[in-house]
Amino acid sequence: MKGGIKGFIQTGGKEAGACAAFTVDFLIYPLDTIKTRLQSPDYKRLYTHGTANTVSKPLFRGLYQGIGSVVLATLPSSGAFFTTYEGTKTLFHNANPQLLSGQALVPIPVVHAAASSTGELVSCLILTPAEVLKQNAQMVRKPATGPGSSSRAFDSHATRVAFAKFKNNPLQLWRGYTALVARNLPFTAMHFPLFEHLRMMTHRYRKKQGTATGSLWETGTVTAFSAGTAGSFAAVITTPIDVVKTRIMLSAASKREDGAREQAIKQIRAEERDAKAEIEKAQQAARGGRAGAFAVGREVLRTDGLKGLFRGGALRGLWTAMGSGLYLGVYESGRKYLENRRVGNKEVTIS
């Protein structure tokens, strides 16, 4: 019996998770593009009308730019996450000693947080290059009309432009790994324990009320509600880290880095500040990396205040609630369906 469950986790769970991830990424991708542009250091210059500070039309153009890289990375990265998460969770549960009171030595939410964090470390290795390409493609601007324009929703021009920036140094595609992990680990550490707790309490409440049916529909809706609520909360809390991650990834391309440095130097000289010290800070921020992450955060706080660190937070909370709900709802329903079908096939074979 244990071998069957283990085999299901390695096959059925991974397939369900990958299909769920692809579906959700496709549906909410336009919201992610808008969020990236809102968090960009060039947001005011590219997507607002000067002194009026009102949003301009380019913010809503090419909302599916860069989706190709996400499609290619979603299946392996989400499959790796769910395989690692389920396997690690089972391993930790089995290794967790029981106290005399019958309770586990390590609290269950801690076990879930550790398992989800391990899954994220593996998943981010696959996802980072696609995320860097995606965010740089989302920022590629094309004229509304003319030779460079296109009305196609899935035009690959932006992805080609973004990829060309990394031809001379493809290792730069992994430049944002630390930033992605720094965002995803706190997110999953909050999201999954809260999600598991809400799901358990909801099922317990429905059983107590006598309304539990055990159907696929109930499994999907309860999971979607629990995951959406937990995901929205975790997304808003981790928005400052997401803003820093976005800016580091947008500076990963060498051309973007040179432009950011030149623009920062011009601004420093125009404001007649201590050029040497400030230029070093600007260069450090443009380089990204471990020290650059703190420098980027300080720069956002200095220029835009606390509001800048939470820019896109409401949108991020909204699409994460939708995404997490659909993602885990489809995943859990698919996993239960595959498990039921697997058990049914075994029963037919035995009989």
Side-chain angles (χ1 to χ4, degrees), residues 71-72 93 111 197 209 224 233 240 243 271 273 279 285 303:
V71 170
L72 292 176
H93 273 301
V111 171
H197 178 73
Q209 296 295 315
F233 173 79
V243 171
E271 296 177 3
R273 288 183 272 158
I279 288 172
T303 57

Side-chain angles (χ1 to χ4, degrees), residues 25-149:
D25 281 342
F26 181 81
L27 292 175
I28 67 174
Y29 192 85
L31 299 178
D32 181 60
T33 299
I34 295 174
K35 184 212 66 141
T36 296
R37 293 170 179 176
L38 288 174
Q39 294 179 346
S40 165
D42 298 323
Y43 164 67
K44 291 183 178 178
R45 181 173 64 85
L46 298 178
Y47 302 111
T48 61
H49 290 294
T51 55
N53 202 29
T54 55
V55 175
S56 59
K57 290 182 180 179
L59 179 66
F60 304 102
R61 291 194 187 124
L63 294 180
Y64 275 96
Q65 288 181 184
I67 194 172
S69 61
V70 175
V71 170
L72 292 176
T74 289
L75 298 180
S77 65
S78 63
F81 172 81
F82 276 102
T83 300
T84 305
Y85 172 67
E86 297 287 2
T88 306
K89 186 171 70 171
T90 301
L91 178 65
F92 288 169
H93 273 301
N94 293 337
N96 196 6
Q98 298 288 321
L99 299 177
L100 294 177
S101 61
Q103 294 182 338
L105 176 63
V106 179
I108 298 302
V110 175
V111 171
H112 291 159
S116 61
S117 297
T118 305
E120 279 296 341
L121 288 173
V122 176
S123 177
C124 285
L125 279 173
I126 303 171
L127 192 59
T128 297
E131 187 76 7
V132 171
L133 273 178
K134 178 199 78 174
Q135 293 205 296
N136 279 274
Q138 286 172 333
M139 291 299 298
V140 172
R141 295 189 72 198
K142 293 181 294 180
T145 58
S149 65

Side-chain angles (χ1 to χ4, degrees), residues 264-274 278 302-303:
I265 291 173
K266 288 179 180 179
Q267 183 179 355
I268 290 166
R269 287 172 176 168
E271 296 177 3
E272 298 181 351
R273 288 183 272 158
D274 183 352
E278 293 290 343
R302 185 188 69 81
T303 57

Side-chain angles (χ1 to χ4, degrees), residues 18-349:
C19 291
F22 176 79
T23 302
V24 171
D25 281 342
F26 181 81
L27 292 175
I28 67 174
Y29 192 85
L31 299 178
D32 181 60
T33 299
I34 295 174
K35 184 212 66 141
T36 296
R37 293 170 179 176
L38 288 174
Q39 294 179 346
S40 165
D42 298 323
Y43 164 67
K44 291 183 178 178
R45 181 173 64 85
L46 298 178
Y47 302 111
T48 61
H49 290 294
T51 55
N53 202 29
T54 55
V55 175
S56 59
K57 290 182 180 179
L59 179 66
F60 304 102
R61 291 194 187 124
L63 294 180
Y64 275 96
Q65 288 181 184
I67 194 172
S69 61
V70 175
V71 170
L72 292 176
T74 289
L75 298 180
S77 65
S78 63
F81 172 81
F82 276 102
T83 300
T84 305
Y85 172 67
E86 297 287 2
T88 306
K89 186 171 70 171
T90 301
L91 178 65
F92 288 169
H93 273 301
N94 293 337
N96 196 6
Q98 298 288 321
L99 299 177
L100 294 177
S101 61
Q103 294 182 338
L105 176 63
V106 179
I108 298 302
V110 175
V111 171
H112 291 159
S116 61
S117 297
T118 305
E120 279 296 341
L121 288 173
V122 176
S123 177
C124 285
L125 279 173
I126 303 171
L127 192 59
T128 297
E131 187 76 7
V132 171
L133 273 178
K134 178 199 78 174
Q135 293 205 296
N136 279 274
Q138 286 172 333
M139 291 299 298
V140 172
R141 295 189 72 198
K142 293 181 294 180
T145 58
S149 65
S150 174
S151 59
R152 291 181 297 171
F154 306 101
D155 185 21
S156 61
H157 169 76
T159 301
R160 293 197 301 268
V161 171
F163 185 75
K165 297 178 181 180
F166 298 93
K167 283 186 176 179
N168 294 330
N169 191 3
L171 290 179
Q172 290 290 90
L173 289 170
W174 275 270
R175 190 178 195 171
Y177 174 77
T178 303
L180 187 62
V181 168
R183 183 200 68 178
N184 286 4
L185 284 185
F187 176 83
T188 53
M190 286 186 285
H191 182 202
F192 274 82
L194 182 57
F195 156 63
E196 298 276 12
H197 178 73
L198 287 174
R199 183 173 61 169
M200 179 186 68
M201 295 299 294
T202 303
H203 278 302
R204 184 179 297 174
Y205 175 79
R206 288 180 63 82
K207 287 180 180 179
K208 186 177 179 180
Q209 296 295 315
T211 56
T213 62
S215 64
L216 286 177
W217 173 256
E218 181 186 48
T219 298
T221 52
V222 170
T223 300
F225 166 76
S226 303
T229 302
S232 179
F233 173 79
V236 173
I237 295 296
T238 56
T239 295
I241 308 174
D242 186 59
V243 171
V244 172
K245 186 238 26 156
T246 296
R247 297 202 175 194
I248 288 176
M249 286 190 166
L250 290 178
S251 69
S254 59
K255 292 181 180 179
R256 173 68 181 85
E257 180 180 329
D258 293 339
R261 185 185 297 117
E262 290 176 4
Q263 186 176 0
I265 291 173
K266 288 179 180 179
Q267 183 179 355
I268 290 166
R269 287 172 176 168
E271 296 177 3
E272 298 181 351
R273 288 183 272 158
D274 183 352
K276 184 177 180 180
E278 293 290 343
I279 288 172
E280 288 179 358
K281 289 181 181 179
Q283 290 174 336
Q284 187 182 51
R287 283 195 297 269
R290 189 173 299 175
F294 291 102
V296 168
R298 287 196 300 267
E299 183 64 17
V300 173
L301 191 61
R302 185 188 69 81
T303 57
D304 300 321
L306 190 62
K307 182 179 179 181
L309 286 174
F310 281 92
R311 180 176 291 166
L315 186 60
R316 175 170 154 79
L318 174 63
W319 72 255
T320 302
M322 295 169 56
S324 295
L326 288 170
Y327 190 9
L328 290 172
V330 172
Y331 165 70
E332 196 63 29
S333 298
R335 194 172 78 139
K336 185 173 181 178
Y337 170 77
L338 291 172
E339 186 176 20
N340 291 342
R341 191 176 65 175
R342 194 185 192 92
V343 172
N345 289 339
K346 285 186 176 181
E347 289 177 352
V348 171
T349 303

